[in-house]
Amino acid sequence: MSLGLVGLGAIGGNLAINIQKSNNLHVYNRTPEQIKTLEDSYVNIHGHHSIEDMVSEMESPRTIITALPHGEVTDSVVKQLSKSLSENDTIIDCSNEYYRTSRNRGAYCQSKGINYMGVGLSGGAEGARKGPALMIGSTWDTFKHNEPLFKSIAKSYAYMGVDYGVGHFTKMVHNGVEYGMLQGIADVFAYCNQDKFYMSQVLDAANDIDIDGYLLSSARDVLDSYKINKIADVGNMNNTGLWCSQIGLEYGIPTPVINSAVTARFTSRYIKAYNACQHLNYAFDAQVGVNALRFVFSTSILEGFDLMNTRHVKDESIKRAWSSGTIIDCPMIDGDHRSILEETVNDARILVMYCNSVGIPCPAIQAALTQYDFTHQTSTSMKFIMAQRNYFGQHEIMEA
């Protein structure tokens, strides 16, 4: 099998360095500077000035990885590749793609006699270099043919099914869970009065427990190395969290924590009318912060499992896909979430009550608590809505 890679950005460039440790690799990039840098540094990397030149120099059967932005950029390259590749060559699409686009892309490749794999990649640039986590959607035969490659480069990999889009769907939901977790961490930072000293106490207290994984480790590094309060309060995103919210609405799956994280990023883009003063947190308790984090992490993970269940993926496969090497990796992925929620809800309530009393926003933790309370009532106010719908629209009322 001859290997190629198109796209040498932050992910692709580091992935190339990873792959060349155990494989010869042909590469192409739209701008040639990255090609020369890698060629000069690694004897197993062979650069080319065009996609056609790269394909012609590779031996059949070829496997070509695309590490490009989602959407039109990847579509264009896949179509360009399809004109040069031979039957039974393989394209491994590692973009952060919308799963329905992956399905269409896979069908297009199938019509050309080319194998397609929609592969979600987690771990960021560092993970791409040292060993990413891969979530794979393809035919079984294509997966088995390329499994030696995955074994040689990945920290973990999980075959999710024959749906061309299910690998990217799994990564999309992974990112949605990540959105919720990140907003939960930010909420606790707000509870800490945006003070590094207090936040470090929370993170130290969370050391070696069920939420301690990549995100908390990176949070500790951020506290040490960034001037956080010099960073603009404007949240950007790559739309995977938004797609999760949209899928939740489409399938009737409640995802309040993910939604709150997406909405918070949207809201941050509006100009603030005034700068409210920060409130000294005299009620600070590191353990309250830790348990609030556990509560919101658990709720976000449960939302992810609910979204994944729309694809009829088994829980064990989801846990394997979101394990070692992923951004959201932590022991809680495999935890008893119902018990975790019961253990931590009171401290989550304390944090939300304090923040509300002094005007500190904590959208993800508050959304998680509202969801918990709504699902733990023997009777809710929904009946009043249904009564009014019946009154003005004669909609059906179900008897309790």
Side-chain angles (χ1 to χ4, degrees), residues 118-235:
V119 176
L121 183 152
S122 182
E126 183 179 1
R129 186 168 188 155
K130 296 181 179 179
L134 303 176
M135 302 156 221
I136 301 160
S138 72
T139 66
W140 177 253
D141 288 345
T142 302
F143 165 68
K144 292 305 290 183
H145 177 72
N146 288 279
E147 189 174 16
L149 168 64
F150 302 138
K151 283 182 178 179
S152 72
I153 67 171
K155 190 169 185 180
S156 68
Y157 62 91
Y159 176 71
M160 306 308 297
V162 298
D163 183 337
Y164 289 128
V166 71
H168 285 144
F169 187 93
T170 306
K171 176 56 169 36
M172 175 192 75
V173 178
H174 160 287
N175 283 21
V177 173
E178 177 189 326
Y179 272 56
M181 290 178 166
L182 285 171
Q183 187 60 52
I185 294 169
D187 288 358
V188 171
F189 182 58
Y191 164 72
C192 292
N193 202 39
Q194 301 186 31
D195 187 293
K196 285 189 173 185
F197 174 75
Y198 288 128
M199 187 64 178
S200 65
Q201 290 186 48
V202 174
L203 295 176
D204 287 346
N207 193 43
D208 292 331
I209 65 171
D210 57 1
I211 55 172
D212 195 12
Y214 180 84
L215 283 180
L216 290 198
S217 175
S218 66
R220 294 184 186 101
D221 290 343
V222 163
L223 279 184
D224 290 338
S225 56
Y226 283 75
K227 296 179 179 178
I228 298 170
N229 290 318
K230 298 292 185 182
I231 298 173
D233 278 326
V234 179

Side-chain angles (χ1 to χ4, degrees), residues 3-65:
L3 296 175
L5 188 150
V6 178
L8 298 175
I11 299 298
N14 281 291
L15 195 59
I17 294 169
N18 180 356
I19 294 170
Q20 64 80 36
K21 294 174 186 175
S22 51
N23 304 275
N24 282 309
L25 179 67
H26 299 265
V27 300
Y28 168 75
N29 194 67
R30 182 173 56 86
T31 53
E33 291 79 11
Q34 291 96 322
I35 297 175
K36 185 175 187 328
T37 298
L38 289 173
E39 264 196 315
D40 289 348
S41 302
Y42 302 99
V43 296
N44 287 339
I45 292 180
H46 312 286
H48 301 275
H49 297 296
S50 71
I51 285 177
E52 292 76 13
D53 175 55
M54 182 180 79
V55 172
S56 67
E57 291 294 319
M58 295 172 66
E59 296 179 1
S60 199
R62 308 171 183 88
T63 290
I64 296 180
I65 300 166

